Amino acid sequence: MTFELLLIMIFLRVKKLVLIFTCLIVLAYTNTRSQSVQDSLTAIQFFIDGKTEEMKGDAVGALEEYKTALKYFKSPGIYYAISNIYSLQGKLQDALIEINYALQLSPGEIDYLEHKARIYYTMDNLDKAAEIYEKIMEIDSDYTYGLYNLARIYEELKQPAKAIVIYEKLTDEAGFDMEILRRMYDIYSGYKNYEKCLEVINYALKLDPYNPTYIQQLGALYVKLGKDADAQKIFEEYYALNPDDKNIQSELAKLYFKGNEIDKGFLNFSKLLGKETLKFEEKVQIGELYFNTISQDKSSIEVAKNIFKNLNENYPSEWVPYYYLGELDISSSDVPAGIIKLRQALVYADTLKEAYQMIGFSYYRIGKNDEAFSVLSKGIAMYPDDFRMNYFYGLSLQRKGQEAEAVKYLEKALSLSPDDISIMSTLAMSYNGLKRYSESDEMYERALNLDPNSALLLNNYAYNLAVRGANLEKALEMAKTAVDKEPNSASYLDTYGWVFYKLKRYEEAKKYLEKAVTISGSSAVLLEHLGDICAAMKDIKNAKKYWGKALELNPDNQFLKEKINFYL
């Protein structure tokens, strides 16, 4: 039997393995000077038997056949097969040893290199995996699968700049693939390179021109780039073909409002709601919808403002548009204009309870204490049994320093709404301020029973205990929990540091107060606390420095002046 005929017979016997076997036989043929043809053929037979066992699911039997084959012929393909089995068994170190033997015999074989890269990837050694794929790219820079895997590894290594270069190469050479485009979009979006995002989405739309997600993304990108007219055109074209798509309809309505095409915006919303027209109250709700999303989406400011301006013009005797326009002025730092509108709102509101609550609290929130007290005094006179009115009025009394009087209204608010944690927290602080400590602690415990994970409650309770020097270990535990939940809260870090200070653990106290001051360096309280800690550590120079900064921010603090003068 000729050697060529034997090759054909092997090919016919196990045609799925033709590539591997052919390589082995060719290697046997080319190595006949150093090993006998018979040994090579014997090795091939054991290899074929091993592969057969492997296909039957007998890994142990396959390994035995492969290792026997190696006694007759040291073939890289056999080492590769053994490494594959070890890899599947999770024996990654053994797999690595075997594939290294294969690579010693055939160092440039891409299949072997890629297998080694996969082993390192499975071992979470991404740097090594990337290094091997980089070597593969040196051998074959057009190897698409290898390029893709290398880009994915770069992403996992937080090296998006390297990944995007490869993705761009792949799209240039192999055309557009949806998964690659998605990854490119994510990377460009992370860099806030919206022009490139625009290119990618346009490519994606060539593959799937009516995909609503891509159309929404395209419109959103146009908006980010200040191209509202282009966004509107895209959405209108899509909506004409898909009138039941609520998401696109909503995006289109927002653009109409933003562009001051208010009637079109309301018309779109009426269709969304399945109504012919919208009542005044429904239009207000739409404005409130955008107003309430301002913290997440700054573009909603303009949308809400346009809606309430329109409502103010068309319903001049209604108080709500004045109120929201006033709030929008305040949020834009135009407090005087905001106050004028709040006053106008109150005129038109007459005796409406919600108006007194909302306007009174708005004044309280921006520190206009006299105005807040005036509005809420009138409100409490008209609605003495409303829990929210009692709560807000109690807050305004507390702000004016009338703690004992505030407690009366806060207690009444709690009796009207016994599970309101905000009222409990405020009341607990008031009791503490009045030195009614047992009632304060009981109120904190009552609130924590309802919400044991509230960082605000834990922090306030811990701080009150720290100031009193009471139950400091419990205070430390609560303060730590609050900081763990919100590690960048300057207030919570201050509390945690101050408890350490009360425990005379000054190094730890300083660590947390310094972090708090880094986050909020314009707080007189934080700076004074940091100065106190430095003084306790005999670092008078820095103590005076921080006290001086605190005094600049709060020049009326007499106790602070006394501390500074003491060390002069």
Side-chain angles (χ1 to χ4, degrees):
M1 181 184 296
T2 67
F3 187 79
E4 288 78 12
L5 181 58
L6 177 62
L7 189 151
I8 292 169
M9 290 176 65
I10 293 172
F11 172 75
L12 293 173
R13 181 179 176 185
V14 196
K15 61 183 180 179
K16 289 184 180 179
L17 305 173
V18 64
L19 181 60
I20 296 172
F21 297 162
T22 303
C23 291
L24 285 168
I25 295 166
V26 170
L27 282 169
Y29 187 77
T30 57
N31 281 279
T32 52
R33 292 180 182 178
S34 58
Q35 289 181 283
S36 70
V37 172
Q38 186 58 48
D39 282 351
S40 299
L41 294 177
T42 302
I44 291 169
Q45 185 57 56
F46 278 114
F47 179 86
I48 293 171
D49 291 342
K51 184 56 67 175
T52 303
E53 293 300 315
E54 189 178 347
M55 293 174 71
K56 287 160 56 178
D58 185 0
V60 175
L63 278 173
E64 186 177 337
E65 297 291 346
Y66 290 151
K67 289 178 180 179
T68 304
L70 281 174
K71 294 176 181 178
Y72 293 94
F73 180 36
K74 303 296 184 188
S75 162
I78 299 174
Y79 286 117
Y80 174 47
I82 293 172
S83 180
N84 259 317
I85 290 179
Y86 282 142
S87 182
L88 291 170
Q89 291 177 332
K91 299 176 180 178
L92 300 179
Q93 288 295 343
D94 291 334
L96 203 55
I97 291 168
E98 298 299 327
I99 199 62
N100 280 335
Y101 286 142
L103 285 165
Q104 286 173 11
L105 296 169
S106 185
E109 175 56 50
I110 288 178
D111 284 344
Y112 304 162
L113 287 167
E114 193 158 26
H115 178 65
K116 185 176 179 179
R118 284 196 295 270
I119 293 171
Y120 277 126
Y121 183 86
T122 307
M123 295 170 75
D124 287 328
N125 192 337
L126 301 184
D127 289 307
K128 273 288 186 184
E131 185 182 310
I132 294 169
Y133 270 112
E134 286 165 357
K135 184 175 180 180
I136 292 172
M137 293 306 101
E138 290 174 6
I139 297 168
D140 183 0
S141 62
D142 295 323
Y143 178 40
T144 302
Y145 186 72
L147 282 167
Y148 180 73
N149 284 339
L150 180 56
R152 289 288 302 273
I153 291 170
Y154 281 148
E155 282 193 81
E156 292 189 52
L157 286 169
K158 310 299 182 190
Q159 298 175 9
K162 288 184 176 181
I164 200 67
V165 170
I166 294 177
Y167 286 139
E168 286 177 344
K169 178 180 171 66
L170 284 168
T171 54
D172 288 344
E173 295 182 358
F176 303 127
D177 174 85
M178 200 61 85
E179 176 62 19
I180 292 175
L181 289 173
R182 185 185 68 77
R183 292 184 174 279
M184 289 174 71
Y185 181 88
D186 289 343
I187 292 172
Y188 285 134
S189 181
Y191 282 126
K192 296 188 176 358
N193 188 340
Y194 299 125
E195 290 287 359
K196 279 291 187 180
C197 286
L198 204 60
E199 286 182 24
V200 172
I201 288 296
N202 278 315
Y203 290 143
L205 282 167
K206 288 179 181 178
L207 297 176
D208 190 358
Y210 298 105
N211 186 305
T213 301
Y214 299 155
I215 289 170
Q216 276 187 276
Q217 285 178 313
L218 181 61
L221 285 168
Y222 278 134
V223 171
K224 284 181 187 295
L225 291 166
K227 301 178 179 180
D228 288 0
D230 290 326
Q232 187 170 314
K233 182 173 181 291
I234 288 289
F235 288 145
E236 284 176 339
E237 288 174 355
Y238 180 83
Y239 179 60
L241 299 172
N242 300 273
D244 296 327
D245 192 314
K246 304 297 184 185
N247 290 325
I248 296 294
Q249 199 171 358
S250 176
E251 292 293 338
L252 195 51
K254 183 178 180 180
L255 282 170
Y256 288 142
F257 289 134
K258 190 178 177 184
N260 218 16
E261 297 182 81
I262 308 300
D263 290 339
K264 277 189 176 182
F266 283 138
L267 179 62
N268 258 40
F269 255 97
S270 66
K271 290 178 181 177
L272 275 170
L273 299 172
K275 297 188 174 185
E276 289 290 326
T277 57
L278 297 174
K279 297 177 182 178
F280 169 75
E281 291 77 11
E282 291 167 328
K283 292 178 180 180
V284 167
Q285 288 172 359
I286 294 169
E288 289 174 333
L289 175 70
Y290 289 112
F291 180 85
N292 291 330
T293 63
I294 286 173
S295 60
Q296 293 87 36
D297 180 8
K298 295 302 179 187
S299 69
S300 292
I301 294 175
E302 191 176 354
V303 175
K305 187 173 286 190
N306 287 343
I307 290 172
F308 286 117
K309 276 184 177 178
N310 176 273
L311 293 178
N312 188 235
E313 290 167 3
N314 290 302
Y315 303 90
S317 61
E318 294 287 348
W319 72 275
V320 175
Y322 286 108
Y323 167 76
Y324 280 108
L325 288 171
E327 283 284 356
L328 287 163
D329 282 338
I330 291 167
S331 68
S332 301
S333 301
D334 191 353
V335 176
I339 289 174
I340 290 171
K341 292 184 177 69
L342 291 179
R343 287 172 180 164
Q344 290 174 308
L346 202 59
V347 169
Y348 288 106
D350 194 17
T351 60
L352 193 65
K353 177 177 68 176
E354 288 75 11
Y356 281 86
Q357 290 173 348
M358 293 165 69
I359 295 167
F361 189 72
S362 291
Y363 281 131
Y364 172 85
R365 185 171 47 80
I366 62 175
K368 295 295 180 181
N369 302 326
D370 291 338
E371 289 87 344
F373 183 75
S374 174
V375 172
L376 292 168
S377 294
K378 293 174 184 175
I380 198 72
M382 291 185 285
Y383 303 99
D385 295 323
D386 179 78
F387 91 90
R388 193 170 281 109
M389 197 72 79
N390 278 274
Y391 177 44
F392 290 165
Y393 188 55
L395 286 174
S396 71
L397 287 166
Q398 191 183 57
R399 180 76 64 80
K400 288 174 71 68
Q402 300 178 28
E403 201 78 68
E405 190 69 13
V407 163
K408 296 178 185 177
Y409 291 94
L410 293 173
E411 286 177 337
K412 184 169 183 179
L414 189 61
S415 69
L416 295 166
S417 182
D419 292 331
D420 192 303
I421 291 174
S422 295
I423 300 174
M424 291 182 201
S425 177
T426 305
L427 192 52
M429 286 190 289
S430 289
Y431 285 144
N432 188 79
L434 292 168
K435 295 183 170 50
R436 294 164 60 176
Y437 298 134
S438 61
E439 290 170 280
S440 175
D441 293 352
E442 286 172 12
M443 191 57 65
Y444 276 125
E445 295 291 348
R446 176 177 166 182
L448 285 169
N449 280 334
L450 293 173
D451 188 0
N453 297 313
S454 168
L456 179 64
L457 284 171
L458 291 165
N459 174 77
N460 292 351
Y461 193 6
Y463 188 73
N464 284 169
L465 290 173
V467 171
R468 286 153 42 192
N471 209 345
L472 292 177
E473 290 299 334
K474 178 175 182 175
L476 188 68
E477 183 182 342
M478 291 192 294
K480 181 181 184 304
T481 302
V483 168
D484 287 343
K485 290 180 177 298
E486 297 186 32
N488 293 315
S489 168
S491 176
Y492 297 174
L493 289 164
D494 171 55
T495 297
Y496 197 28
W498 199 241
V499 178
F500 278 124
Y501 170 77
K502 288 288 188 172
L503 288 165
K504 301 188 186 306
R505 293 165 62 175
Y506 299 131
E507 288 290 347
E508 292 156 297
K510 185 180 179 184
K511 172 185 171 183
Y512 289 102
L513 258 298
E514 284 179 337
K515 187 174 180 181
V517 167
T518 299
I519 294 169
S520 181
S522 60
S523 167
V525 173
L526 300 188
L527 289 164
E528 184 178 359
H529 281 177
L530 185 52
D532 292 346
I533 292 166
C534 289
M537 298 174 76
K538 312 301 182 188
D539 182 3
I540 305 305
K541 180 181 177 181
N542 277 318
K544 290 166 69 176
K545 180 181 79 172
Y546 291 120
W547 285 338
K549 289 182 178 179
L551 193 60
E552 288 175 11
L553 294 167
N554 185 12
D556 297 327
N557 189 328
Q558 193 61 39
F559 183 58
L560 188 54
K561 290 177 184 177
E562 291 174 6
K563 283 192 282 191
I564 295 171
N565 290 333
F566 181 81
Y567 287 101
L568 286 178

